[in-house]
Amino acid sequence: MSYLSDTDPEIFNLIEKERMRQINGLELIASENVVSKAVLEAVGSIMTNKYAEGYPGKRYYGGCEFHDMVENLARDRLCELFGAEHANVQAVSGSQANQAVYFAFMQHKDLMMSQDLSQGGHLSHGSPVNITGKWYSVSHYGVDSETETLDYAQIADQARKEKPKMIVCGASAYPRIIDFKAFKEIAEEVGAYCMADIAHIAGLVAGGAHPTSVGVVDITTTTTHKTLRGPRGGAIMCGEENAQAIDKSVFPGMQGGPLMHVIAGKAVCFHEALQPSFKEYAKQIVKNSKAMAEVLIEEGLDLVSGGTDNHLILLDLTNLSTNGDHLTGLEAETYLGEAGITVNKNTIPREKLSPFVTSGLRIGTPAVTSRGMKEDEMKQIGHWIARVLKDVCKNKNSKAEISEVKKEVEAFASKYTLYPEVS
């Protein structure tokens, strides 16, 4: 018997519907994953009852001795995992982690250089609709128009001209390896701080499937809920010389009492990522992404930059015609969702449509990899994606093919159980 079903059956039923959606479908959102039962248990624990404003040994309230131990474990494990000198695990999201770094080292209207949102960057990297774009001056760099990859010589030229206070690297929709060393060298040349946001690739970095930014750039931020497979939250890593500035910026600068139940979940996540099996998991994410990309290319679909080196694939839909107009990201997301395949619309280089419509589609493999799927399964999913998109281009009004794929997806997903002990 569930306490929640007795107390609030309306919320209980909605959670149950979401559970069934996850069980019966395929989650291919590149920024999402499936946490372990241990992480779920920690986040849903009694740690949520305590206000622990401050840091271990320097709290503003009594009764925090066990919360101090939990936070210290989380910090120590994160440092061990990435080889960092200092870690702050209190940031409640990746965006707030980024904001804390800016707040620590920049003044109002100081200039930052960062990757343009429409070409793979993130809102919190100075987008004009975000507080970072309103509070700081921003100069965006993009990808090369031909290769659709980062041109470091071009970025260096821009930095020499702009003389930014901070250079931000890291992306939310960039399917290739990022050269953090190149970014640090550019920043050193122009006297700028260098911050890497590895929110998307943190699990790949921890598992040795992507080069690290920690110990290379000045400050590294991350989320804990993407490829790292932990609870929703953020974290910051830096050298000892920047530790005090970062900690003061997070608290009291940016936020109040930390979410200690989430920090407990982060500690569990870091422990799991320190196990040898996590390296195999990280490598499998990339193998799966490459396997799916190969199938999509074979099916005649266009991939931004022609492929992937990491956990995500960015589809360019502009060659998929529907009555004279190309299929939009919004349409593709909707149709695939009806087939039980969850993806998200995304801008692409040279984007001409609104961010609410887009010409691209972002696909990621972390969550399905967590469910135990490998290359053969990715190939099957790739064929389903192509089948749906090609069919709707022929006839948007027909849902027969979508219905058939949905049945096949549900039968397929049932073989990869999700929290079978939860009923």
Side-chain angles (χ1 to χ4, degrees):
M1 181 63 69
S2 164
Y3 290 111
L4 184 58
S5 65
D6 286 344
T7 304
D8 194 334
E10 189 174 11
I11 290 296
F12 174 84
N13 288 332
L14 289 171
I15 292 174
E16 179 62 12
K17 286 179 180 179
E18 170 59 14
R19 186 177 75 89
M20 296 309 298
R21 184 194 70 82
Q22 292 187 28
I23 287 172
N24 294 326
L26 299 173
E27 204 71 41
L28 296 176
I29 303 289
S31 53
E32 295 182 9
N33 211 328
V34 178
V35 303
S36 68
K37 185 61 170 34
V39 170
L40 274 182
E41 187 175 337
V43 175
S45 71
I46 202 168
M47 299 294 288
T48 194
N49 290 344
K50 191 77 186 73
Y51 212 135
E53 193 174 67
Y55 287 103
K58 295 181 180 180
R59 305 289 188 184
Y60 283 77
Y61 300 116
C64 292
E65 55 268 32
F66 302 118
H67 297 77
D68 286 1
M69 294 178 187
V70 166
E71 186 168 343
N72 280 331
L73 271 174
R75 294 195 297 190
D76 291 346
R77 289 172 178 178
L78 184 58
C79 286
E80 181 183 356
L81 182 61
F82 286 94
E85 292 181 2
H86 179 77
N88 185 299
V89 296
Q90 290 197 6
V92 300
S93 71
S95 291
Q96 283 198 284
N98 290 344
Q99 290 169 20
V101 174
Y102 308 147
F103 188 58
F105 300 107
M106 298 175 69
Q107 300 297 317
H108 183 231
K109 292 303 178 183
D110 275 352
L111 179 66
M112 74 163 72
M113 253 183 71
S114 60
Q115 191 163 339
D116 191 276
L117 177 63
S118 68
Q119 299 193 43
H122 190 261
L123 279 169
S124 64
H125 297 173
S127 169
V129 300
N130 186 264
I131 187 173
T132 56
K134 297 179 184 297
W135 193 253
Y136 303 105
S137 300
V138 184
S139 173
H140 287 305
Y141 57 84
V143 296
D144 179 80
S145 59
E146 295 297 323
T147 65
E148 297 178 321
T149 59
L150 294 170
D151 183 332
Y152 297 97
Q154 193 175 66
I155 294 169
D157 286 342
Q158 183 176 339
R160 292 184 194 108
K161 293 173 185 175
E162 301 283 354
K163 295 288 192 285
K165 182 72 173 291
M166 179 172 290
I167 296 178
V168 179
C169 53
S172 65
Y174 184 70
R176 296 301 187 176
I177 295 291
I178 297 172
D179 188 342
F180 296 117
K181 186 173 182 289
F183 272 108
K184 175 58 177 173
E185 289 173 351
I186 294 168
E188 284 184 337
E189 182 183 343
V190 300
Y193 287 102
C194 188
M195 184 196 96
D197 179 349
I198 64 168
H200 263 269
I201 57 172
L204 305 185
V205 172
H210 189 290
T212 186
S213 62
V214 179
V216 177
V217 303
D218 299 306
I219 311 104
T220 293
T221 65
T222 185
T223 55
T224 49
H225 53 271
K226 298 185 176 81
T227 51
L228 205 49
R229 205 164 57 180
R232 295 192 63 82
I236 306 171
M237 292 169 279
C238 62
E240 289 294 347
E241 70 277 10
N242 293 317
Q244 185 176 8
I246 288 296
D247 285 351
K248 286 178 66 177
S249 186
V250 174
F251 174 82
M254 294 294 301
Q255 59 190 53
L259 307 180
M260 288 306 306
H261 57 301
V262 178
I263 290 176
K266 291 176 183 178
V268 175
C269 151
F270 303 149
H271 174 72
E272 292 173 346
L274 282 163
Q275 306 312 307
S277 60
F278 192 85
K279 291 186 183 296
E280 295 306 312
Y281 165 70
K283 292 173 185 175
Q284 190 63 53
I285 289 175
V286 178
K287 289 178 183 178
N288 284 352
S289 187
K290 287 181 178 292
M292 191 185 298
E294 288 173 5
V295 166
L296 294 172
I297 291 170
E298 288 170 8
E299 289 277 6
L301 302 181
D302 287 345
L303 275 59
V304 171
S305 80
T308 181
D309 297 323
N310 57 26
H311 66 300
L312 68 84
I313 297 160
L314 194 57
L315 278 183
D316 180 341
L317 302 172
T318 55
N319 74 330
L320 292 178
S321 177
T322 58
N323 300 323
D325 296 321
H326 75 72
L327 186 70
T328 69
L330 177 59
E331 290 171 328
E333 175 188 308
T334 301
Y335 291 127
L336 286 167
E338 291 174 357
I341 300 172
T342 308
V343 294
N344 69 275
K345 59 186 176 295
N346 210 95
T347 55
I348 60 172
R350 301 176 301 282
E351 181 64 72
K352 295 180 180 179
L353 300 180
S354 157
F356 297 101
V357 180
T358 80
S359 302
L361 201 67
R362 190 180 67 167
I363 302 169
T365 57
V368 287
T369 306
S370 290
R371 291 180 73 172
M373 300 178 201
K374 295 188 176 180
E375 289 96 325
D376 286 345
E377 289 78 13
M378 297 305 108
K379 293 175 183 177
Q380 176 60 73
I381 296 170
H383 286 304
W384 277 324
I385 290 171
R387 185 171 149 194
V388 169
L389 297 184
K390 288 180 178 180
D391 184 68
V392 298
C393 285
K394 294 176 184 175
N395 187 356
K396 281 188 177 182
N397 296 319
S398 173
K399 296 296 179 73
E401 195 71 23
I402 290 175
S403 297
E404 186 59 33
V405 170
K406 183 175 177 61
K407 291 177 186 176
E408 294 175 20
V409 166
E410 287 187 357
F412 174 85
S414 68
K415 300 175 185 177
Y416 300 91
T417 54
L418 184 66
Y419 308 127
E421 67 276 29
V422 179
S423 61

